[in-house]
Amino acid sequence: MPPLPVFRTKADLRQQVTAWRQDGQKIALVPTMGALHAGHLDLIRIAQSKADRVIASIFVNPTQFAPHEDLDRYPRQEAADRDALSTAGCDGLYAPTTHVMYPAGFDTSITPGRVAERLEGAFRPHFFGGVATVVTKLFLQALPDVAVFGEKDWQQLQVIKRMVIDLDLGVDIVAAPTRREVDGLALSSRNAYLSDAERAAAPVLKQVLDDLALKVRDEPAQLAMHMEAGIKRILSAGFRAVDYLEVCHAETLSPWQAGDPARILVAAWLGQTRLIDNCGLD
Ligand code: AMP
């Protein structure tokens, strides 16, 4: 297997991408923060089915972390990630330094609109601005035709879809289903933080989401009661706090009303680890 080309600068990345584009090849980008797992590799496979060349990026983006969050302890394992991408047949890794991404004097950012206000946006006010800005930069640096994002981060996916339309970014956004462990826990780089006892408690999130999906469909008038019961069940399984458990309009993330396309989203704390998950009604 040929070694995975690694690009550290915008110029090196752009040189390769330009050559592929001149050759008429379609390019897909898979943005990540590394510590790759099987869910990320699903994104690579989907990207391969949509384009001739696939670039993965790894960048732990400081502007989407608040000062009290886990930027410093976020898992970093680039050598293992390179091996995984190489085995998956990825065509290149873009792994810029923070200085390459945010040189001295950097002073411009993207502010997403209402889709970013509630849920994650309410609990992590800095988050979607940081994501939108870095994703826009990655798009302009890599000039992809297609980019693949996971449904695991459902609100992020909607923020990016909205941004691409609103700013005429011209990138086709493809959604990948959430990859889960056999007990239902969504794969996440942050699962590595969990103790054995926390790991054993974690699947309750998906169980509650699945139960609520049935209840929202069958008894929408009792929604508030079912939400309250869901929160209680998460807490009694050992979670420390529930930031939100809500049924929302699947695209705008505004509060759900009967007839809207629905998505149920949850964020909850297991000890020091914050987990998020979501599901549709089917
Ligand atoms: P991250 O490295 O966590 O920022 O995630 C990079 C991309 O992988 C994002 O588009 C995520 O939504 C996606 N992703 C993360 N976990 C999963 C998963 N379990 N299944 C599918 N996609 C995922």
Side-chain angles (χ1 to χ4, degrees):
M1 193 174 308
L4 178 76
V6 179
F7 310 104
R8 303 278 177 198
T9 66
K10 301 168 218 178
D12 286 352
L13 174 70
R14 189 58 82 74
Q15 191 180 21
Q16 178 61 85
V17 165
T18 304
W20 285 335
R21 292 180 78 87
Q22 280 170 352
D23 231 22
Q25 301 196 52
K26 199 170 166 183
I27 295 162
L29 176 70
V30 178
T32 82
M33 298 206 298
L36 301 182
H37 52 61
H40 295 117
L41 299 178
D42 286 348
L43 271 55
I44 300 287
R45 269 187 292 276
I46 291 171
Q48 286 166 329
S49 74
K50 303 280 177 192
D52 303 300
R53 298 287 184 175
V54 175
I55 295 279
S57 64
I58 294 181
F59 182 62
V60 184
N61 178 33
T63 67
Q64 68 192 64
F65 289 78
H68 63 276
E69 292 182 342
D70 58 343
L71 174 64
D72 291 336
R73 71 172 186 137
Y74 196 85
R76 290 165 172 85
Q77 45 167 64
E78 196 197 286
D81 290 347
R82 283 202 310 262
D83 287 349
L85 291 171
S86 181
T87 305
C90 188
D91 297 288
L93 167 64
Y94 178 45
T97 60
T98 302
H99 178 72
V100 163
M101 200 52 100
Y102 302 114
F106 180 87
D107 195 25
T108 303
S109 55
I110 305 263
T111 306
R114 276 168 297 182
V115 63
E117 272 172 13
R118 304 180 63 250
L119 308 166
E120 284 302 282
F123 284 88
R124 306 181 67 197
H126 53 283
F127 178 67
F128 286 122
V131 168
T133 303
V134 82
V135 167
T136 302
K137 284 173 67 72
L138 288 167
F139 284 178
L140 293 171
Q141 291 165 358
L143 301 177
D145 301 281
V146 179
V148 186
F149 292 85
E151 291 183 351
K152 159 78 168 44
D153 299 278
W154 182 266
Q155 191 177 11
Q156 170 176 284
L157 176 63
Q158 307 315 313
V159 167
I160 288 166
K161 282 184 174 173
R162 186 73 255 163
M163 176 180 82
V164 165
I165 294 169
D166 291 348
L167 300 185
D168 306 306
L169 295 182
V171 179
D172 188 10
I173 302 301
V174 173
T178 301
R179 169 74 83 119
R180 299 179 181 280
E181 304 281 7
V182 282
D183 61 10
L185 175 64
L187 265 57
S188 164
S189 309
R190 290 187 167 101
N191 293 350
Y193 300 154
L194 300 176
S195 69
D196 288 349
E198 289 166 349
R199 174 65 189 80
V204 74
L205 282 189
K206 177 67 162 83
Q207 293 156 12
V208 166
L209 288 172
D210 286 347
D211 280 1
L212 280 173
L214 295 177
K215 303 262 166 58
V216 174
R217 227 171 33 197
D218 299 342
E219 301 171 20
Q222 308 298 321
L223 200 59
M225 183 187 83
H226 292 313
M227 289 297 153
E228 209 175 303
I231 290 172
K232 278 195 186 134
R233 189 168 158 203
I234 292 169
L235 293 174
S236 51
F239 278 74
R240 177 165 65 78
V242 177
D243 280 354
Y244 56 80
L245 174 64
E246 274 196 49
V247 190
C248 295
H249 186 294
E251 286 161 24
T252 65
L253 280 311
S254 53
W256 183 75
Q257 298 181 342
D260 286 347
R263 201 83 191 171
I264 311 175
L265 300 96
V266 65
W269 289 91
L270 249 184
Q272 297 306 305
T273 306
R274 187 170 181 276
L275 298 181
I276 61 170
D277 203 347
N278 67 88
C279 77
L281 291 201
D282 295 325

